[in-house]
C-alpha cells in the first residue's frame, strides 16, 4: 500500500437524474503515469472535479497517501499536493511568469511583497526542471507550450504528489511533445505521479505505465499498457470495435470552385503569395507545423485578416470580404480551433448557440420565433448525435466533443457552400472523431467545399482528397492524398525552415 499515492473507491456522482459516475474504483501508484481515456461525456472531467473539490461527490471515498481527503476547493487540493494542468490554460496573461507562479501566495518581507525572493525561487525552480523560461516574461508573449511548462512548474512548486494533465499535447509541436514527455519522465523518477488524460493512443502507449478507460460513467478497463492493445482500448471506449480509424473517403470532387490567387496578408504574421484551387465537393487538407500559417490562411479566407494583395475567386466571381459577416453572406463557415475562446457562447444554451449565426431564418413577421429556434436546435442535436439533456442545457455543461458538435451544427443551419474547419477534432474522443469524419465526407458528397486544418498526420491523410502543406507562412506544395505519405508531408513542412 505504501506505493499507492491516490486511491478512489466506489465514487458516484449524479446531476439531477443523470448518473455521471457510477461506482468508480481507481488507484495511482507513486512515480507512475496513469493514462485516463474515454469518450467525451464518459465522466473523466467529472471524476477529476470531484477530486479537486469543484464538485462534491455523492458516494465513495478518496484517499491521498492512505489518508481520506475531501477537498472543498481547488486551492485546498493544490496545497495538499494535488495539481491539475487544464487543456484550456487559465492564467493571468498580462502578468509575468513569476506573478502567475506565486498568485495567491506572494511572499512578503516587512509587509511588502518580496520580489527578490520570488525571482530567485522562480529561477531556481526552472533550473531544477531544466526549463528555459525567463521569470520576467509576460505570459501573453509566450507560446501555448511555454505557458503549459509554467503550469507544470507551478504544480511542482507546490510539492505536488500527483499532477493531472488534461489533453496536454493538443496545441504542441512534435518537438514540444518530446520536451513535455522528458519533463514528465524526470518528475516520475523523482516520485511524482501523473494522471494523463488524452485521446491520442500513441501517446498513451509511449508515456503511460497504466491505462484506465471510462464509458458512460463506469470503469470499463484498468490494466498495464503492456497488457493491452489499441483495438482493445477503442472497443472499451466506444463499446464496439472500430475496424478502421477513418471512413471511406468516397466523395467525388467536381469542377474547380474556389480559387486563391497570390494571396498576401497585410499584418504579422504575413502570408506570402498563397495560390491554390479547390473543387466543388472536395475535402482539401491544410497541413504544417504549429505556426506555419494555417489558421491565418483560414482567417484570411473568412474576412478576419486583412488581405494586402491577391484575389479570392468563387465560381468565377471575385470576392473581397471586409469582415466575417461578408464571408457568411457568401455562404462561408468557419469552425475555429479554440472553441471556448471564440467558437461559442459558454454561458448560454445549446439552442442559443445553434441559432445565433442565422437568426433571420427563425423570424415570423420580423419577430424571432422560439418554436423555429427550438426546431433548429432539436434538428441539429439529432443530426450530430449530441449527448445532452435538452436544447435548453448550457453548452458549457457539455463535454468538449459535444460542444464541437453544437458548433458544427450551428454552421450547418447556415447551409454553407465553403466550410473552413480548423482542428475540428481537437480534444475529441475516437468515437466522436469518427462521427465528425463521416459528417465531413457526407457534406463533401452533398457538394460542399471543405478546407480542413489538422496537426494530426494520420487524420489529414485519412479524410482528405488533396493536401496543401504550409511552411513559414508560405505554401510549400500540394499533393494528392492517395499518392503521398507522412515522410513526404514532413519534408514539405520543413521546406522553408
Amino acid at each position: 500500500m505504501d506505493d499507492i499515492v491516490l486511491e478512489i473507491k466506489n465514487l458516484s456522482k449524479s446531476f439531477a437524474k443523470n448518473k455521471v459516475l457510477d461506482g468508480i474504483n481507481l488507484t495511482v501508484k507513486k512515480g507512475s503515469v496513469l493514462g485516463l481515456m474515454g469518450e467525451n461525456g464518459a465522466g473523466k472531467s467529472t471524476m477529476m472535479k470531484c477530486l479537486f473539490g469543484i464538485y462534491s461527490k455523492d458516494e465513495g471515498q478518496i484517499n491521498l497517501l492512505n489518508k481520506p481527503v475531501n477537498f472543498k476547493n481547488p486551492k485546498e487540493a493544490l496545497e495538499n499536493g494535488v495539481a491539475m494542468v487544464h487543456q484550456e490554460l487559465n492564467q493571468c496573461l498580462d502578468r509575468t511568469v513569476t506573478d502567475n507562479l506565486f498568485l495567491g501566495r506572494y511572499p512578503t518581507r516587512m509587509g511588502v511583497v518580496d520580489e527578490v525572493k520570488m525571482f530567485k525561487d522562480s529561477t531556481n525552480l526552472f533550473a531544477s526542471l531544466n526549463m528555459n523560461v525567463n521569470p520576467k516574461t509576460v505570459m501573453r508573449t509566450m507560446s501555448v507550450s511555454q505557458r503549459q511548462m509554467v503550469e507544470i512548474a507551478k504544480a511542482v512548486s507546490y510539492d505536488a504528489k500527483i499532477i493531472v494533465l488534461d489533453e496536454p499535447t493538443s496545441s504542441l509541436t512534435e518537438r514540444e511533445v518530446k520536451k513535455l514527455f522528458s519533463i514528465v519522465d524526470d518528475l516520475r523518477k523523482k516520485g511524482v505521479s501523473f494522471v494523463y488524460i488524452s485521446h491520442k493512443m500513441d501517446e498513451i502507449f509511449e508515456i503511460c505505465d497504466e491505462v484506465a478507460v471510462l464509458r458512460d460513467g463506469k470503469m470499463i478497463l484498468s490494466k498495464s499498457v503492456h497488457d493491452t492493445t489499441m483495438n482493445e482500448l477503442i472497443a472499451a471506449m466506444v463499446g464496439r470495435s472500430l475496424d478502421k480509424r477513418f471512413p471511406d473517403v468516397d466523395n467525388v470532387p467536381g469542377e474547380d470552385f474556389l480559387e486563391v490567387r497570390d494571396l498576401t496578408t497585410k499584418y504579422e504574421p504575413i502570408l506570402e503569395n498563397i495560390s491554390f484551387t479547390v473543387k466543388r465537393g472536395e475535402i482539401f487538407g491544410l497541413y504544417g507545423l504549429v505556426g506555419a500559417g494555417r489558421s491565418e490562411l483560414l482567417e484570411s479566407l473568412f474576412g478576419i485578416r486583412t488581405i494586402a494583395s491577391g484575389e479570392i475567386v468563387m465560381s468565377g466571381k471575385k470576392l473581397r470580404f471586409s469582415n466575417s459577416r461578408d464571408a457568411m453572406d457568401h455562404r462561408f463557415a468557419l469552425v475555429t480551433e479554440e472553441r471556448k475562446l471564440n467558437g461559442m457562447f459558454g454561458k448560454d444554451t445549446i439552442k442559443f448557440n445553434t441559432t445565433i449565426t442565422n437568426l433571420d431564418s427563425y423570424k415570423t413577421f420580423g419577430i424571432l420565433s422560439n418554436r423555429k429556434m427550438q426546431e433548429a436546435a432539436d434538428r441539429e442535436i439529432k443530426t450530430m448525435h449530441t449527448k445532452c439533456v435538452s436544447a435548453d442545457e448550457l453548452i458549457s455543461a457539455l463535454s468538449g466533443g459535444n460542444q464541437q458538435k453544437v458548433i458544427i451544427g450551428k454552421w450547418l443551419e447556415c447551409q454553407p457552400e465553403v466550410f473552413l474547419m480548423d482542428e475540428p477534432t481537437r480534444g475529441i474522443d475516437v468515437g466522436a472523431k469518427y462521427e465528425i469524419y463521416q459528417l465531413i465526407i457526407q457534406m463533401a458528397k452533398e457538394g460542399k467545399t471543405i478546407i480542413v486544418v489538422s496537426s494530426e498526420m494520420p487524420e489529414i491523410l485519412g479524410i482528405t482528397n488533396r493536401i496543401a502543406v504550409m511552411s513559414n507562412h508560405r505554401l510549400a506544395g500540394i499533393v494528392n492524398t492517395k499518392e503521398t505519405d507522412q515522410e513526404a508531408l514532413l519534408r514539405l513542412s520543413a521546406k522553408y525552415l
Side-chain angles (χ1 to χ4, degrees):
M1 290 293 287
D2 289 342
D3 65 337
I4 293 178
V5 175
L6 176 70
E7 186 177 22
I8 295 174
K9 293 182 178 178
N10 198 34
L11 182 67
S12 295
K13 176 66 180 175
S14 298
F15 295 103
K17 294 181 180 179
N18 184 23
K19 195 154 194 175
V20 184
L21 295 175
D22 188 1
I24 299 295
N25 292 293
L26 185 74
T27 58
V28 182
K29 296 174 183 173
K30 182 178 180 180
S32 71
V33 181
L34 172 81
L36 182 60
M37 305 192 76
E39 290 191 278
N40 292 103
K44 305 186 299 294
S45 295
T46 302
M47 180 166 70
M48 291 301 105
K49 286 176 180 177
C50 288
L51 170 63
F52 280 90
I54 298 171
Y55 292 157
S56 57
K57 60 186 185 297
D58 296 338
E59 297 174 34
Q61 184 173 317
I62 299 173
N63 293 335
L64 184 66
L65 297 175
N66 297 324
K67 294 179 182 177
V69 293
N70 189 20
F71 302 129
K72 296 181 179 63
N73 51 58
K75 185 174 185 289
E76 191 177 322
L78 199 55
E79 289 169 348
N80 282 274
V82 181
M84 184 169 185
V85 179
H86 297 269
Q87 183 180 357
E88 276 88 16
L89 300 171
N90 296 311
Q91 295 166 320
C92 299
L93 297 183
D94 293 318
R95 305 299 298 175
T96 65
V97 168
T98 301
D99 284 330
N100 277 269
L101 284 177
F102 287 93
L103 198 63
R105 50 169 182 158
Y106 287 122
T108 58
R109 189 163 178 257
M110 298 176 67
V112 179
V113 173
D114 193 341
E115 301 271 0
V116 174
K117 177 175 170 52
M118 285 166 59
F119 180 77
K120 183 181 177 183
D121 289 353
S122 300
T123 303
N124 292 339
L125 175 65
F126 289 122
S128 70
L129 294 171
N130 196 26
M131 291 183 186
N132 185 23
V133 179
N134 183 348
K136 293 183 179 179
T137 306
V138 175
M139 296 294 290
R140 192 177 293 281
T141 65
M142 302 173 75
S143 68
V144 173
S145 62
Q146 289 172 318
R147 287 167 46 205
Q148 200 173 61
M149 298 305 174
V150 172
E151 281 297 292
I152 293 172
K154 183 176 181 177
V156 173
S157 74
Y158 272 93
D159 193 25
K161 311 292 187 298
I162 186 162
I163 300 173
V164 179
L165 300 177
D166 187 5
E167 292 288 347
T169 65
S170 58
S171 298
L172 303 189
T173 65
E174 200 169 323
R175 186 183 304 163
E176 289 167 341
V177 171
K178 283 189 171 68
K179 174 66 176 172
L180 173 67
F181 285 0
S182 171
I183 290 168
V184 169
D185 209 36
D186 288 345
L187 290 171
R188 171 165 52 185
K189 289 170 185 172
K190 294 176 182 176
V192 179
S193 303
F194 289 86
V195 175
Y196 191 92
I197 301 173
S198 179
H199 295 303
K200 297 180 180 179
M201 297 281 180
D202 52 343
E203 292 181 0
I204 294 295
F205 284 99
E206 183 175 349
I207 194 67
C208 298
D209 303 296
E210 310 277 330
V211 62
V213 177
L214 286 178
R215 186 174 80 233
D216 297 328
K218 294 184 172 69
M219 185 64 72
I220 302 297
L221 176 150
S222 180
K223 58 169 59 176
S224 166
V225 292
H226 303 296
D227 298 332
T228 188
T229 64
M230 189 178 294
N231 286 339
E232 184 181 20
L233 291 183
I234 291 173
M237 285 171 66
V238 301
R240 64 190 187 280
S241 176
L242 278 181
D243 297 327
K244 49 187 179 179
R245 289 177 65 182
F246 305 100
D248 293 329
V249 183
D250 54 358
N251 61 309
V252 181
E255 73 282 4
D256 289 351
F257 181 64
L258 182 71
E259 186 179 0
V260 176
R261 301 174 182 164
D262 294 320
L263 184 145
T264 299
T265 55
K266 192 170 184 179
Y267 302 110
E268 292 283 349
I270 294 173
L271 304 180
E272 296 183 63
N273 303 318
I274 307 288
S275 296
F276 59 87
T277 302
V278 190
K279 300 179 185 299
R280 186 183 288 277
E282 181 177 22
I283 305 170
F284 189 76
L286 275 181
Y287 181 74
L289 303 177
V290 173
R294 302 163 308 167
S295 297
E296 288 81 0
L297 178 54
L298 292 194
E299 290 169 358
S300 301
L301 297 179
F302 198 65
I304 296 173
R305 286 184 175 269
T306 305
I307 296 173
S309 62
E311 295 174 335
I312 300 172
V313 182
M314 188 167 73
S315 293
K317 181 183 176 183
K318 292 181 183 178
L319 306 176
R320 175 70 78 167
F321 301 146
S322 319
N323 49 50
S324 56
R325 182 76 257 176
D326 285 350
M328 290 164 63
D329 289 342
H330 284 83
R331 310 280 286 279
F332 276 63
L334 172 64
V335 174
T336 58
E337 180 182 9
E338 297 282 351
R339 59 176 169 265
K340 289 191 177 179
L341 182 66
N342 49 25
M344 67 186 204
F345 293 88
K347 293 183 179 179
D348 229 305
T349 63
I350 295 169
K351 179 167 68 179
F352 179 91
N353 277 276
T354 301
T355 57
I356 187 62
T357 56
N358 202 27
L359 289 176
D360 287 343
S361 300
Y362 315 117
K363 289 181 179 178
T364 303
F365 304 116
I367 299 172
L368 273 174
S369 165
N370 189 61
R371 178 184 60 79
K372 287 184 177 180
M373 293 170 72
Q374 186 70 44
E375 287 173 353
D378 290 342
R379 178 167 58 244
E380 294 306 334
I381 287 170
K382 185 177 180 182
T383 299
M384 300 301 299
H385 306 292
T386 307
K387 289 182 183 177
C388 61
V389 176
S390 75
D392 293 318
E393 188 175 0
L394 289 179
I395 192 171
S396 57
L398 303 183
S399 64
N402 285 303
Q403 288 174 356
Q404 192 76 322
K405 289 179 181 180
V406 174
I407 292 166
I408 293 173
K410 165 186 75 175
W411 288 116
L412 288 179
E413 282 293 304
C414 299
Q415 299 182 321
E417 289 195 64
V418 178
F419 216 135
L420 311 172
M421 310 183 89
D422 195 353
E423 303 282 7
T425 65
R426 180 184 169 208
I428 292 177
D429 63 77
V430 65
K433 277 185 178 184
Y434 197 86
E435 290 180 351
I436 289 176
Y437 299 150
Q438 288 177 314
L439 178 74
I440 289 171
I441 294 165
Q442 184 58 39
M443 287 193 298
K445 289 164 84 167
E446 292 168 3
K448 295 184 188 345
T449 297
I450 297 161
I451 302 178
V452 58
V453 167
S454 177
S455 298
E456 294 186 34
M457 208 177 289
E459 179 173 271
I460 207 81
L461 288 166
I463 61 164
T464 59
N465 303 116
R466 287 187 300 147
I467 304 167
V469 182
M470 295 194 66
S471 177
N472 200 27
H473 309 119
R474 285 174 284 179
L475 194 61
I478 299 174
V479 294
N480 289 318
T481 304
K482 288 181 179 178
E483 298 167 5
T484 195
D485 56 22
Q486 295 194 16
E487 187 180 335
L489 293 186
L490 279 174
R491 200 179 300 117
L492 282 171
S493 66
K495 190 172 178 181
Y496 296 105
L497 296 180

